[in-house]
Amino acid sequence: HAERAVRANAVHLSAWVQLIVLQILNDQPDQARANARRYLALRPGASVDRFLDRHPARGTWIAERDAQALLNAGLPH
């Protein structure tokens, strides 16, 4: 779904985040890093800390897992 959302709307920022997380979780680090660079070009001020601050499940293992995936893909802390 994330890939389709990004194809349909290249500036769908939350879809980019989910795509990056899923690529890390599915052992596709090269694709995740490339997509992280695209995401950062669209949202230059993005960071994992900002992601966690706005995450609806803040403080849960899901938010922490996603944050770690974003870090592994190259998003700044």
Side-chain angles (χ1 to χ4, degrees):
H1 294 286
E3 287 176 338
R4 187 173 24 197
V6 167
R7 276 195 304 270
N9 180 358
V11 294
H12 192 297
L13 298 175
S14 61
W16 280 108
V17 170
Q18 290 308 307
L19 180 59
I20 295 162
V21 168
L22 291 170
Q23 287 174 326
I24 288 292
L25 295 177
N26 287 313
D27 198 28
Q28 299 172 322
D30 294 336
Q31 295 93 323
R33 283 191 290 276
N35 284 324
R37 288 189 296 275
R38 289 183 188 104
Y39 174 71
L40 287 170
L42 293 168
R43 181 172 266 174
S47 71
V48 174
D49 290 336
R50 289 180 100 183
F51 168 80
L52 285 172
D53 286 343
R54 292 172 171 82
H55 200 292
R58 178 179 39 243
T60 67
W61 68 270
I62 294 170
E64 295 301 322
R65 178 204 62 194
D66 291 357
Q68 187 60 54
L70 293 171
L71 284 171
N72 291 348
L75 264 71
H77 213 292

